[in-house]
Amino acid sequence: MDKEIADKPVVQHLVCEDGYPIAATLYRASVPRGTIIIAPALAATQSFYADFADFLTSQGFDCLTFDYRGSGRSLSKSETYDIRLEDWGKQDIEAVIRFATQRCRNVSENHPIYLIGHSIGGQLVGLARSSRDLSRIVHVAVSAPYWRRWPFPLNARMLAVSRILLPLFSAFRDRFPSRQLGLGGMDIPASAVKQWARWMRCRDYMFDPRFGLDLSGYKALEQPLLSMSFSDDDMAPYTNIEHILTNFPNARVTRRHVDVSTLQPGAVGHAGFFKPRFEKSIWRETLAWLTATDTNIQDQPEMQGNE
């Protein structure tokens, strides 16, 4: 890894528009040519993305990681435990984008801001009002997880997860035991998990009208969007990947479905993209897409990995 990091990461204490405090970490490059925000997956700590953030700063980008409200370093002392998933998008992701924008005004008017959303981080991005100001967006394993779109027998397993496991282990408690169940690196608000289970039981997921979310921001996203998916990701089958992209109707989408048999080492799954072993392959290919000119962006059904 090329070492061009100027300083050690710095914790930033941000305040959302509704007054909720969240914790972010700023990784600073010596001469930044842009800022990249990493919006985390459900129950993924911001420290999980530290190696990838270090790589991005070594390539000349400032990077921001953060924890959603009610989780990790963003646990408020006045926690009410009535945390809603949409606030992770319209409040938390929004606060990080606004912080990046304000900071970049001191650097250059042409300083681009990108967002890489992992799983639910990419699902929620359109709820953030300022997401339309992002230069480009990357989805990593981002899908609309409706149980019927999994092949058998995984569909039966996901039905059980959404109708039994998630409701059962989030009932009558404030915290969902993600770590104990092997579903993440930290426990998260049970109220958020209950809501996630309801979304998963609907064909259109969070985009179903019954949930009453303001989805107008998704139509406003017209920038290039790279959707990264992986052939061994049982959590995000390609049918669910395709379904969520229909809710980004005006984005200029590039699809890259990675055949993991071409990667050395191969396994990626739902979270392996962020492991350092992929620095020379899919990390660099993703960064090349972020920095490419619009005329060089094209739809690629299969992305080959090179070690």
Side-chain angles (χ1 to χ4, degrees):
M1 184 181 294
D2 303 323
K3 295 296 183 182
E4 295 181 5
I5 303 174
D7 297 296
K8 293 183 179 180
V10 178
V11 175
Q12 303 288 329
H13 299 283
L14 312 183
V15 179
C16 299
E17 289 182 334
D18 64 354
Y20 198 104
I22 63 170
T25 301
L26 174 63
Y27 297 76
R28 293 176 291 181
S30 56
V31 183
R33 51 185 175 133
T35 297
I36 299 176
I37 297 167
I38 302 176
L42 193 85
T45 65
Q46 60 174 299
S47 61
F48 175 75
Y49 304 97
D51 289 330
F52 187 53
D54 282 339
F55 165 75
L56 294 174
T57 51
S58 76
Q59 302 304 305
F61 291 90
D62 286 350
C63 187
L64 280 161
T65 62
F66 66 98
D67 291 319
Y68 297 117
R69 62 183 57 200
S71 61
R73 296 179 181 176
S74 296
L75 270 171
S76 173
K77 293 181 180 180
S78 58
E79 183 67 73
T80 64
Y81 297 106
D82 185 21
I83 301 294
R84 301 189 62 79
L85 289 176
E86 61 262 34
D87 287 332
W88 287 2
K90 69 181 182 181
Q91 294 289 342
D92 302 356
I93 294 177
E94 171 69 16
V96 179
I97 296 175
R98 284 192 291 107
F99 171 78
T101 301
Q102 294 167 1
R103 186 171 177 272
C104 290
R105 286 173 182 165
N106 299 325
V107 178
S108 169
E109 293 183 358
N110 298 320
H111 188 90
I113 300 174
Y114 308 110
L115 183 138
I116 297 177
H118 180 204
S119 195
I120 205 169
Q123 297 168 10
L124 300 174
V125 64
L127 297 178
R129 185 175 63 254
S130 297
S131 61
R132 68 193 65 188
D133 299 325
L134 297 168
S135 298
R136 294 188 182 183
I137 298 170
V138 175
H139 280 182
V140 176
V142 177
S143 70
Y146 174 56
W147 69 273
R148 287 186 183 273
R149 285 191 287 267
W150 267 272
F152 182 82
L154 283 175
N155 58 353
R157 175 184 173 187
M158 296 311 299
L159 175 62
V161 167
S162 63
R163 291 192 178 273
I164 300 174
L165 188 146
L166 296 181
L168 177 64
F169 283 92
S170 58
F172 308 111
R173 65 177 75 201
D174 294 324
R175 310 292 296 173
F176 180 79
S178 308
R179 289 177 294 179
Q180 182 180 348
L181 296 174
L183 297 177
M186 61 180 171
D187 294 345
I188 57 177
S191 58
V193 174
K194 292 176 186 177
Q195 187 179 14
W196 187 46
R198 290 193 294 270
W199 287 1
M200 290 176 66
R201 295 195 293 267
C202 292
R203 183 178 298 276
D204 288 327
Y205 189 57
M206 60 178 285
F207 304 95
D208 191 298
R210 78 185 71 181
F211 298 123
L213 300 181
D214 180 2
L215 303 173
S216 59
Y218 291 86
K219 294 181 179 179
L221 298 178
E222 299 179 348
Q223 58 269 75
L225 186 155
L226 171 63
S227 174
M228 296 282 294
S229 58
F230 309 97
S231 61
D232 66 341
D233 185 359
D234 289 340
M235 290 296 294
Y238 196 70
T239 51
N240 280 338
I241 299 278
E242 280 294 291
H243 190 85
I244 200 166
L245 291 176
T246 65
N247 295 283
F248 293 78
N250 298 313
R252 288 172 280 160
V253 177
T254 297
R255 294 168 175 82
R256 292 189 177 175
H257 186 64
V258 180
D259 179 358
V260 299
S261 67
T262 66
L263 295 175
Q264 297 293 332
V268 180
H270 196 59
F273 173 92
F274 297 96
K275 299 297 184 181
R277 64 178 178 268
F278 294 117
E279 175 189 337
K280 295 181 180 179
S281 54
I282 50 179
W283 283 14
R284 291 189 181 275
E285 293 182 42
T286 302
L287 189 59
W289 181 89
L290 276 177
T291 57
T293 61
D294 285 352
T295 56
N296 290 333
I297 292 178
Q298 58 184 347
D299 211 39
Q300 297 183 18
E302 297 286 340
M303 183 170 77
Q304 302 299 316
N306 298 305
E307 188 64 33

